[in-house]
Every structure is written in C-alpha cells, then in structure tokens.
C-alpha cells in the first residue's frame, strides 16, 4: 500500500496545541527545547500559555507549527510508524516535510522559518494587505474575477485548497472588490481571513528576495523521501530544485488540490496528517473521498493513525 504523510501550515495553531502529546511523550518537549535554543525564547511556554495574539503573529506561528509538526514526526517514527512513500506540506508545512525527508537540518529549518515569518510580516505595511476564502466557485472563475480588478491593485488566487475552496490575497482595496464580486456571482460563502500578511501573492516579493539569501546560507540535501512541493504539485528529490522551489513558493500559489491528486495518481490511498489540528484531513476528504487521512495531534489520534497505516500495509 502506498502512503503519504502531510504537514499543515498556518491556521492550524492554537494555544495549548500538543499539550496531551507533550504529557505522553518526552520527545515533544525535547523538540521544543531544541527550537527554543535556536530562537532565543521559550517556544513551548508560548504555545502552552499564549497569548493567542502573540502565537498568531506570523514570525512566531511559523516556527511553532514547524516544531509541533516535527515533534509529532519524531514520535511517529519512535512508535514504529512506517516511513511514507511521499511527503507534502501545505505552505509553511513544506518545511516540516523537508526536515522529515532529510533535506533540512531541524535547527536550520527553525531559523529559516523564523526569518520567513519576519520577512513576510514586513513585506507589506500593516493593514494594506488582505486574504479571503471563497467557497463555492471553481478556481478558473476566481482567477477571472481577480483579473477584472488588477487595476485596483494586486489581487491573486493563491491557495487552491480543495474543489470550490480558493483563497485570494493582495492589496486591501482590490481584495475587497473581489470579495463583493464573488458574492454577486453566487459564491456560497466569502470569508475574510484573520491573518497578518497576504501570503503567496506578488506582494511577497521582498520576502522572497530576503529568503533567497537565507536559503543560500544553509545546507539542503537531496530528499530521502520524495516531497510533493507546493509550486510544482509534483514529487521532487533534487536538492537544487527543492531550494529553488522554496524561493518561488513565497510568491506562487499553493497547489494543494493538485498535490493531493498527484499522490492519488501514484497510488496513495492512506495519508497521515502530522501536526496540530485536522485542517488537511478535512481538505483531503473534499479532494478525494477514496483517500483516508488520519490526524495525529493527540495520543488517541496517533494510535488510530498508526493502526490505520499498519492495517493498510
């Protein structure tokens, strides 16, 4: 049986995430201690106690989610969880996948995503960017709406999360115009997102430029497990291509639906969501109901995921 392990991105964080896992497995606390040493502040305390406003700041969210996801990956392996055939991560989650694949050293990845979050936070002045989720319109229709409003500023379809679920990002006024047009065109739901930066659109070019320098300063190895990257929606193992795609990822759409379909075409029928929350499990059900996806964020869920993967072998 062909399997995949997937890592969530921003939006899956919450105060108290992994509390049960940390109480059960010392490896979780050890992973957070390692990340805290790199960052220079107590990441575990912030995740455990909040405040939520600080945890939700992108330069803190990113290392927090990376660390939580890598901690669960380490627990998965310690408990005898099998090495998957494919790895993938949603946006930020791609860095977790690359640690699991042996491409990035964990400490390097913590430092990189801290820089990534800070670069994204400062790429667009506060209040000048926006993101919104559009439910009930296909990707091409959303792209067309965005193209109608380019004269008002940057507005782009940036996350293709599932059929009929597309996220847009860009300049405040242009995004607001597309929100209104989507409602007029019959979108089932349009939800402005409570995020601090308009991710994955061309407004992130300053962040991409800064990340190019940061990426040049770290070692990237060939992947021991193929990683399905956001930019290509295809499996990559070559270190040079992986490094290039991490640069382009910041200013390119997250092709999540295509990534999941690609893995399904390779025979993947069981996926494990390795990280806090169950966002990806929900999206994967919407993309392909023939794929079972199992969360791992509590000891109970981890046990069920291990059992499901072993039964499918």
């Amino acid at each position: 049986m062909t399997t995949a392990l997937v890592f969530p991105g921003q939006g899956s964080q919450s105060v108290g995430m992994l509390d049960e896992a940390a109480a059960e497995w010392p490896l979780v606390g050890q992973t957070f201690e390692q990340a805290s040493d790199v960052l220079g502040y107590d990441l575990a305390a912030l995740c455990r106690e909040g405040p939520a406003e600080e945890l939700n700041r992108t330069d803190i969210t990113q290392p927090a989610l990376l660390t939580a996801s890598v901690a669960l990956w380490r627990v998965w392996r310690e408990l005898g969880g099998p090495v998957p055939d494919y790895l993938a991560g949603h946006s930020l989650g791609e860095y977790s996948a690359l640690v699991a694949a042996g491409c990035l050293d964990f400490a390097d990845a913590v430092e990189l995503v801290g820089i990534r979050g800070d670069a994204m936070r400062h790429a667009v002045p506060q209040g000048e960017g926006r993101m919104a989720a559009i439910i009930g319109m296909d990707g091409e229709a959303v792209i067309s709406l965005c193209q109608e409003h380019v004269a008002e500023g940057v507005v782009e379809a940036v996350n293709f999360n599932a059929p009929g679920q597309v996220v847009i990002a860009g300049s405040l006024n242009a995004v607001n115009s597309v929100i209104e047009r989507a409602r007029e065109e019959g979108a089932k739901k349009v939800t402005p997102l409570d995020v601090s930066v308009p991710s994955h659109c061309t407004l992130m070019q300053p962040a991409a430029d800064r990340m190019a320098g940061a990426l040049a300063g770290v070692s990237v190895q060939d992947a021991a497990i193929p990683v399905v990257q956001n930019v290509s929606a295809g499996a990559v193992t070559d270190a040079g291509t992986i490094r290039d795609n991490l640069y382009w990822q910041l200013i390119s759409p997250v092709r999540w639906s295509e990534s999941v379909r690609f893995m399904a075409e390779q025979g993947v029928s069981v996926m494990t969501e390795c990280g806090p929350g169950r966002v990806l499990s929900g999206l994967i059900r919407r993309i392909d109901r023939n794929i079972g996806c199992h969360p791992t964020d509590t000891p109970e869920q981890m046990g069920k995921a291990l059992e499901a993967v072993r039964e499918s072998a």
Side-chain angles (χ1 to χ4, degrees):
M1 186 69 67
T2 307
T3 64
L5 203 146
V6 296
F7 297 88
Q10 291 192 80
S12 290
Q13 76 277 3
S14 63
V15 174
M17 64 182 180
L18 265 60
D19 278 358
E20 289 183 59
E24 180 79 12
W25 301 301
L27 194 51
V28 174
Q30 293 163 13
T31 303
F32 272 89
E33 287 174 10
Q34 187 181 357
S36 296
D37 288 343
V38 174
L39 296 166
Y41 59 86
D42 190 341
L43 185 62
L46 184 54
C47 291
R48 187 172 57 249
E49 302 165 8
E53 293 78 9
E54 190 169 356
L55 180 61
N56 291 338
R57 209 177 74 190
T58 188
D59 55 322
I60 293 175
T61 301
Q62 296 199 28
L65 281 173
L66 169 81
T67 302
S69 295
V70 170
L72 290 175
W73 161 254
R74 289 174 171 178
V75 169
W76 173 265
R77 297 293 294 133
E78 184 178 61
L79 296 176
V83 174
D85 298 287
Y86 293 93
L87 295 165
H90 188 285
S91 187
L92 165 71
E94 192 167 286
Y95 283 81
S96 306
L98 293 172
V99 172
C103 299
L104 289 173
D105 175 78
F106 175 58
D108 286 343
V110 171
E111 187 171 359
L112 278 174
V113 300
I115 294 169
R116 183 179 186 267
D118 186 68
M120 292 172 68
R121 184 180 174 214
H122 290 98
V124 179
Q126 188 72 27
E128 292 187 14
R130 197 172 201 189
M131 298 183 76
I134 298 177
I135 311 298
M137 295 185 73
D138 66 36
E140 290 303 318
V142 174
I143 290 170
S144 288
L145 286 184
C146 291
Q147 289 172 342
E148 290 177 17
H149 293 274
V150 292
E152 297 173 46
V154 171
V155 58
E156 299 163 6
V158 296
N159 288 8
F160 296 90
N161 285 334
Q165 183 174 332
V166 181
V167 174
I168 61 172
S171 308
L172 179 64
N173 291 340
V175 170
N176 285 342
S177 294
V178 173
I179 286 172
E180 292 308 311
R181 287 282 289 119
R183 288 170 174 155
E184 291 169 4
E185 292 295 318
K188 290 181 181 177
K189 187 177 182 181
V190 183
T191 306
L193 302 183
D194 184 19
V195 295
S196 56
V197 294
S199 303
H200 295 288
C201 72
T202 52
L203 292 177
M204 287 293 106
Q205 187 63 56
D209 293 342
R210 184 172 165 195
M211 280 304 294
L215 287 163
V218 300
S219 173
V220 180
Q221 304 297 317
D222 289 347
I225 307 166
V227 178
V228 180
Q229 290 195 277
N230 290 190
V231 170
S232 62
V236 182
T237 57
D238 172 68
T241 304
I242 287 166
R243 191 193 301 269
D244 289 345
N245 284 346
L246 287 176
Y247 165 82
W248 288 108
Q249 187 212 55
L250 274 169
I251 49 175
S252 303
V254 175
R255 296 164 62 184
W256 187 248
S257 288
E258 289 177 77
S259 296
V260 172
R261 291 193 185 105
F262 169 82
M263 288 185 278
E265 289 165 3
Q266 311 315 305
V268 172
S269 58
V270 178
M271 294 186 180
T272 304
E273 181 172 5
C274 196
R278 299 162 196 189
V279 170
L280 297 185
S281 297
L283 292 179
I284 289 163
R285 278 194 296 273
R286 293 187 60 184
I287 296 166
D288 189 334
R289 290 194 172 274
N290 294 316
I291 297 174
C293 189
H294 306 277
T296 60
D297 58 343
T298 66
E300 180 184 4
Q301 293 296 337
M302 178 71 78
K304 289 179 179 178
L306 285 163
E307 183 179 356
V309 171
R310 286 166 178 159
E311 286 179 354
S312 71

